Amino acid sequence: MKKSIDQAGLKPAPSRRETLGLLGAGVLGATLASGSVLAHDEDKVLTEALVLRDPDIPVLGNSDGDISIVEYFDYNCPYCRRVAPEIRQVVQDDGKVRLVLKDWPILGEVSKIAARMALATKYQGKFVEAHEALIGVSSRLTEPRIRELLAGAGIDMDRLNGDLKAKAKEIDAIIARNNDQALAFEFRGTPSFIVGKFRVPGVLTMAQFEQVIADARKAKASN
């Protein structure tokens, strides 16, 4: 996957043209080409509030941290699984990073099932356990395997089944918002990231994550 980082235009309600124009040369020297992104109104999709601080999205790490890492991921993505422990270590070592996990299930129906189930566990306060269980496997998921992993992680499955039905509209809305954002940023696959106001469409090493976090802090301080 292409490894590039671009400055992202995270500000209140930018237009599509403004947003794409602000995605200029980034720390690794790549640029995002301008052009049409979504077929509907993007002004409501790429606000800083929704990208970095969507209240319906689970946050790991330091919820009061000065820099956010937003990850768009798929539980069936092997690259997402590979990078997960490295991101977790970077966030832990830094101590001042918010990790915002955005389900972007693009690898088939089972990915959508996994995303919905994981998000449903947040209503019983078990999202972290569910996420770790699903992202930590080495083989492709199936629905029976998802249920087995979640039950093994201490998830109340009867409560989960109930929340999947009762909260279906809210869960689907979260996934739709995540998808709209990923398309608006022109991400082409998982995992993809926003670090501070930098666009990172690809897998980075721990050292590269540490560097882009440092660059994001410098950019924030200069604004």
Side-chain angles (χ1 to χ4, degrees), residues 15-48:
S15 68
R16 178 176 63 189
R17 182 179 297 276
E18 289 171 335
T19 299
L20 292 173
L22 286 166
L23 292 173
V27 239
L28 297 186
T31 58
L32 177 62
S34 62
S36 179
V37 178
L38 292 176
H40 58 273
D41 184 6
E42 297 85 1
D43 293 0
K44 300 176 182 178
V45 178
L46 292 178
T47 65
E48 180 170 348

Side-chain angles (χ1 to χ4, degrees), residues 38 40 44-46 50-58 70-75 100-106 115-116 119 122 127 170-187 190 192 194:
L38 292 176
H40 58 273
K44 300 176 182 178
V45 178
L46 292 178
L50 280 181
V51 173
L52 301 183
R53 299 184 180 276
D54 186 330
D56 293 326
I57 300 292
V70 183
E71 179 183 6
Y72 296 83
F73 71 95
D74 185 309
Y75 283 114
V100 185
L101 296 170
K102 299 207 176 191
D103 289 90
W104 188 27
I106 57 175
R116 290 191 180 102
L119 286 168
K122 75 189 185 79
F127 176 81
E170 292 93 330
I171 292 169
D172 287 344
I174 292 170
I175 294 173
R177 285 200 301 276
N178 294 348
N179 181 69
D180 287 348
Q181 290 170 12
L183 294 179
F185 283 124
E186 293 194 347
F187 290 141
T190 55
S192 292
I194 298 295

Side-chain angles (χ1 to χ4, degrees), residues 85-160:
E86 297 187 355
I87 298 173
R88 184 166 57 246
Q89 190 64 52
V90 168
V91 170
Q92 180 179 319
D93 291 348
D94 184 282
K96 295 185 292 182
V97 172
R98 303 172 65 252
L99 178 59
V100 185
L101 296 170
K102 299 207 176 191
D103 289 90
W104 188 27
I106 57 175
L107 298 177
E109 188 59 32
V110 173
S111 292
K112 295 176 183 177
I113 291 170
R116 290 191 180 102
M117 285 190 176
L119 286 168
T121 66
K122 75 189 185 79
Y123 299 106
Q124 57 178 282
K126 292 284 189 177
F127 176 81
V128 174
E129 292 85 347
H131 177 75
E132 295 296 335
L134 297 183
I135 206 69
V137 297
S138 58
S139 58
R140 191 164 182 84
L141 293 170
T142 62
E143 183 172 354
R145 181 61 172 148
I146 293 167
R147 291 187 173 277
E148 178 186 7
L149 288 166
L150 293 180
I155 307 303
D156 182 333
M157 298 305 290
D158 289 335
R159 169 73 187 273
L160 174 62

